[in-house]
């Protein structure tokens, strides 16, 4: 739901809101956070949020969330015959939601329209430094990524919807999970994805193909290999995030292989960090963001399987602190999917499966 506050829970939330996460490391420069249970505010029009599959911050420090309206307004238990019962008292919100720092909804839009193929299953949201909104999907026919203005006017489609192909096809994507944009070079990088096994780069203005690579900078293949292998010669599925640091390093979440691989922009492999090596199920490396200091000295890491936010030293990959646990209360996580930091260091997260929410964690110590 759009609000984290439920009837009859006021006293419990007061207790939770006063709780400060004690991070596992005690380094003096380790940030500390407190969950803000009043964020976001209740959505208007009886709207409800479904699986929240992306979060991004723009240069105004507005918080953008993409969710899956098809998963909203459902009960948690399937009824006989496999039918999911829909609530009559709520309506799915539009897929793209923009909030202010206090959690008020500022704008909403999205869905099918003329001239583009809206994703079958929304996945991934990026706001570039010029203010354009990039949206992807991981549905069974999602081979495209879309670029919009902040008001939802269509600008560009890269790739196309339809039958998925392979990691050698440069005319379409393969259930892409995430994007990041190099504004100076006018290039967009895709973590591609749930079907393909690669990073692929296009011109962010024209959509022209530039280059692509697989794990360790090698040519990607689609040979089926075992997952949960931190030394796997190729990316597993999904290739789940891409982040470009100010110094030009490119960070890739190889989720099911429990690793972050780091490259130069030309695809030259630099090194990798293994996080939660023994994690099975859906893997450990779901999303990343970079700390707000000039050197971007830390990585913030989302682990949806283990319900953790971890903070890593960027130069070494050493985990300095972590917080979170499984659950549906404010400050807990169920299928933590994405995270993003605003310019003040406040942290925002989104959850899929039955998590169906976004949360804010206020920075209380830098």
């Amino acid at each position: 739901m759009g609000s984290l506050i439920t009837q009859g829970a006021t006293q419990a939330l007061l207790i939770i809101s006063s709780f400060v996460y004690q991070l596992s490391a005690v380094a003096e420069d380790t940030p500390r956070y407190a969950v803000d249970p009043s964020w976001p505010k209740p959505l208007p029009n009886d709207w409800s949020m479904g699986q929240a599959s992306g979060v991004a911050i723009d240069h105004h420090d507005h918080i953008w969330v993409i969710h899956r309206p098809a998963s909203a307004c459902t009960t948690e238990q399937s009824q006989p015959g496999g039918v999911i019962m829909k609530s009559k008292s709520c309506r799915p919100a539009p897929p793209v939601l923009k909030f202010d720092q206090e959690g008020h909804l500022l704008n909403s839009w999205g869905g099918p329209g003329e001239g583009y193929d809206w994703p079958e299953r929304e996945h991934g949201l990026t706001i570039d430094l010029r203010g354009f909104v990039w949206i992807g999907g991981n549905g069974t026919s999602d081979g495209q990524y879309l670029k919009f203005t902040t008001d939802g006017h269509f600008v560009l489609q890269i790739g196309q919807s339809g039958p998925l192909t392979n990691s050698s096809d440069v005319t379409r994507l393969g259930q892409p999970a995430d994007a990041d944009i190099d504004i100076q070079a006018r290039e967009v990088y895709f973590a591609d994805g749930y079907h393909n096994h690669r990073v692929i780069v296009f011109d962010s203005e024209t959509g022209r193909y530039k280059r692509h690579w697989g794990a360790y900078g090698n040519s990607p293949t689609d040979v089926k290999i075992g997952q949960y292998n931190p030394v796997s010669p190729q990316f597993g599925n999904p290739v789940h995030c891409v982040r470009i640091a100010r110094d030009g390093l490119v960070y890739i979440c190889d989720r099911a292989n429990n690793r972050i691989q780091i490259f130069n922009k030309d695809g030259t492999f630099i090194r990798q960090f293994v996080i939660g090596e023994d994690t099975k199920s859906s893997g450990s490396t779901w999303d990343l963001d970079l700390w707000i200091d000039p050197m971007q000295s830390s990585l913030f890491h989302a682990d949806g399987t283990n319900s953790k936010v971890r903070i890593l030293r960027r130069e070494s990959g050493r985990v300095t602190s972590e917080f979170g646990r499984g659950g549906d209360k404010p400050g807990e996580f169920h299928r933590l999917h994405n995270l993003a930091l605003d310019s003040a260091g406040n942290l925002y997260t989104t959850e899929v499966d039955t998590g169906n929410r976004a949360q804010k964690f206020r920075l209380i110590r830098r």
Side-chain angles (χ1 to χ4, degrees):
M1 294 293 179
S3 171
L4 300 182
I5 301 178
T6 58
Q7 277 189 327
T10 303
Q11 185 62 36
L13 290 182
L14 287 174
I15 294 171
I16 292 168
S17 65
S18 66
F19 176 75
V20 175
Y21 277 100
Q22 302 296 323
L23 301 180
S24 59
V26 293
E28 288 300 316
D29 59 349
T30 298
R32 295 174 66 189
Y33 288 89
V35 65
D36 182 352
S38 68
W39 197 98
K41 307 301 182 188
L43 295 173
N45 308 316
D46 288 329
W47 283 349
S48 177
M49 189 183 295
Q51 297 176 5
S53 54
V55 60
I57 314 294
D58 66 22
H59 66 283
H60 298 294
D61 268 345
H62 293 145
I63 300 91
W64 294 71
V65 172
I66 191 168
H67 78 108
R68 298 165 180 162
S71 64
C73 302
T74 60
T75 60
E76 292 190 8
Q77 293 184 344
S78 298
Q79 303 301 311
V83 177
I84 303 294
M85 299 302 293
K86 296 275 187 176
S87 169
K88 295 182 179 180
S89 62
C90 79
R91 300 163 54 203
V96 180
L97 306 171
K98 181 173 77 168
F99 299 94
D100 64 17
Q101 294 282 312
E102 288 71 45
H104 301 104
L105 183 66
L106 300 178
N107 196 10
S108 61
W109 50 266
E114 185 175 353
Y116 61 87
D117 300 313
W118 186 260
E120 178 185 326
R121 190 170 186 261
E122 295 85 353
H123 193 297
L125 175 73
T126 303
I127 315 295
D128 70 30
L129 292 177
R130 296 177 62 201
F132 291 105
V133 181
W134 295 79
I135 291 168
N138 69 335
T140 56
S141 63
D142 287 335
Q144 76 281 16
Y145 227 89
L146 305 176
K147 179 182 179 181
F148 294 91
T149 67
T150 55
D151 292 327
H153 297 293
F154 171 65
V155 177
L156 179 69
Q157 176 170 314
I158 295 176
Q160 54 188 307
S161 177
L164 302 177
T165 55
N166 56 61
S167 294
S168 298
D169 188 346
V170 300
T171 67
R172 68 178 66 211
L173 306 173
Q175 296 176 308
D178 193 24
D180 204 1
I181 295 83
D182 182 342
I183 291 295
Q184 291 186 337
R186 297 182 181 271
E187 292 181 336
V188 55
Y189 290 63
F190 296 113
D192 186 37
Y194 277 76
H195 179 79
N196 291 339
H197 301 77
R198 64 184 179 181
V199 182
I200 189 167
V201 184
F202 292 84
D203 187 297
S204 60
E205 304 298 312
T206 66
R208 181 174 63 88
Y209 165 77
K210 305 292 282 290
R211 59 192 176 278
H212 70 277
W213 66 86
Y216 299 102
N218 297 323
S219 297
T221 72
D222 297 297
V223 176
K224 297 299 182 184
I225 60 174
Q227 301 203 97
Y228 320 119
N229 179 7
V231 296
S232 171
Q234 72 177 46
F235 291 132
N237 290 119
V239 187
H240 205 249
C241 85
V242 54
R243 291 291 177 272
I244 306 171
R246 294 190 188 113
D247 59 11
L249 294 180
V250 180
Y251 292 77
I252 303 298
C253 295
D254 187 5
R255 194 174 99 178
N257 284 325
N258 303 324
R259 64 187 180 184
I260 300 164
Q261 290 208 329
I262 306 166
F263 301 88
N264 287 329
K265 290 180 181 179
D266 63 1
T268 302
F269 175 75
I270 304 298
R271 59 185 177 274
Q272 73 175 26
F273 302 146
V274 177
I275 312 295
E277 181 174 2
D278 296 328
T279 302
K280 304 299 183 183
S281 183
S282 298
S284 65
T285 54
W286 291 50
D287 199 14
L288 292 175
D289 204 359
L290 293 141
W291 184 232
I292 60 174
D293 64 334
M295 299 300 293
Q296 297 183 310
S297 57
S298 296
L299 296 173
F300 279 62
H301 162 257
D303 180 345
T305 299
N306 297 303
S307 300
K308 300 286 186 185
V309 172
R310 296 189 181 93
I311 304 176
L312 293 68
R313 292 295 186 202
R314 187 158 77 95
E315 76 279 5
S316 66
R318 180 173 63 89
V319 176
T320 61
S321 57
E322 64 180 36
F323 65 86
R325 67 178 185 181
D328 58 4
K329 298 181 178 64
E332 299 175 338
F333 301 116
H334 179 68
R335 305 297 279 182
L336 169 64
H337 196 257
N338 305 96
L339 52 74
L341 293 157
D342 68 19
S343 65
N346 299 308
L347 179 69
Y348 301 84
T349 63
T350 55
E351 297 164 56
V352 293
D353 194 43
T354 59
N356 288 24
R357 63 178 176 177
Q359 297 195 76
K360 177 180 181 178
F361 297 83
R362 291 184 293 106
L363 177 66
I364 63 170
R365 191 191 75 183
R366 288 182 64 167

